[in-house]
Structures are given as structure tokens and as C-alpha cells.
Amino acid sequence: MDNQSSPVVVPLAGPAVDVNGGRYDSCAALDSGTAYCWGEGTTGQLGDGLGQSSPNPVQVASISSIVDVAVGAVHACARDSSGQVYCWGSNGNSRLGIGTSGGTELSPVPLPSLADARELAMSGGSTTCAIRADQTRLSPRQLSLVA
């Protein structure tokens, strides 16, 4: 993929309600409830099940009603309108919060113990944080423990 020295229009399938950029990839939640990602994808961070890079947006597989996305260097997460969080990409250092460490998830995996998130955030490229509906804040280590 080519670097761009000036902004370019990203051809999305509709209006975006949230956009977030990681180190080498970006994702958008559309007003239709779908999510699209583009850029580097070799560790599954595009979430389309293929594990390949794409300069054009590809739809994230198997999730709907998405309202929020958070993108890191080698993984991404999304939150649906009910508060359910899904993550995909590299699970090095337990960054996906699925209760294990290592491996790659090419498609979104729901975090069963995090079905009540109000907000997601990414920090430092490999750190995902969440705020629950009851205002409880979860750090990456805590996300791994609730999975």
C-alpha cells in the first residue's frame, strides 16, 4: 500500500458514525450498523476472516449494530448498540481480552463478560480499555480477566 502525503476520500458504503485509526489500519462504524476496516491486515486486524491487507474498506465479518470502533497496531475492537464488545487481530500479550494469550483471530470474537460497555478506547497501539454501563473502568489486564 502506498503512503499518502495528503488526505484522501475513503470509499465507504455509507455515512460513518465513528472512525478510528491504528498504526497501519483504520476502521469505521457506519450508520447502517456495519463496520469496515482497511490497511494492513496480515494479523487479522481487518476482521474480514481473510488475514490479508486491503487498501479499500472491507466489511468486518459477523457483527452488526456497531456504534463504536477502537483500532490498535495489530488488533481492533467494536461495540454494538447493546454494549457487547467484539475484538479481532493479534492476541499477543492477551490484547484481545478473550482469556488466552497468543494466536490470531481473523474474525470478531465476542467478549461474553463484556456485554455492557458504554465506551471503548485504544491507547499506545496495543492497549484496549472499556467503560461499562455502571461506570466501571477496565484496563487491558482486567479485560483479560473478565473474558
Side-chain angles (χ1 to χ4, degrees), residues 81-142:
S81 59
S82 73
Q84 178 64 59
V85 174
Y86 304 83
C87 295
W88 59 92
S90 171
N91 192 36
N93 298 317
S94 302
R95 67 176 44 96
L96 297 183
I98 58 175
T100 61
S101 182
T104 297
E105 296 292 339
L106 299 179
S107 298
V109 177
L111 280 62
S113 298
L114 191 51
D116 61 346
R118 194 183 78 178
E119 190 172 340
L120 288 178
M122 197 69 64
S123 174
S126 62
T127 304
T128 308
C129 300
I131 298 176
R132 287 187 148 152
D134 68 1
Q135 303 298 325
T136 306
R137 291 170 175 82
L138 297 175
S139 69
R141 178 74 177 134
Q142 291 165 318

Side-chain angles (χ1 to χ4, degrees), residues 4-146:
Q4 299 293 324
S5 59
S6 60
V8 296
V9 174
V10 176
L12 293 171
V17 296
D18 189 44
V19 178
N20 195 267
R23 188 171 187 181
Y24 302 112
D25 56 309
S26 299
C27 295
L30 304 188
D31 68 353
S32 64
T34 56
Y36 284 79
C37 296
W38 61 97
E40 176 64 43
T42 56
T43 61
Q45 64 267 48
L46 299 187
D48 62 351
L50 300 177
Q52 299 174 355
S53 299
S54 176
N56 298 310
V58 295
Q59 187 170 355
V60 178
S62 308
I63 56 176
S64 59
S65 302
I66 300 304
V67 297
D68 192 12
V69 290
V71 183
V74 291
H75 78 294
C77 298
R79 176 180 60 91
D80 71 16
S81 59
S82 73
Q84 178 64 59
V85 174
Y86 304 83
C87 295
W88 59 92
S90 171
N91 192 36
N93 298 317
S94 302
R95 67 176 44 96
L96 297 183
I98 58 175
T100 61
S101 182
T104 297
E105 296 292 339
L106 299 179
S107 298
V109 177
L111 280 62
S113 298
L114 191 51
D116 61 346
R118 194 183 78 178
E119 190 172 340
L120 288 178
M122 197 69 64
S123 174
S126 62
T127 304
T128 308
C129 300
I131 298 176
R132 287 187 148 152
D134 68 1
Q135 303 298 325
T136 306
R137 291 170 175 82
L138 297 175
S139 69
R141 178 74 177 134
Q142 291 165 318
L143 282 174
S144 295
L145 295 174
V146 299

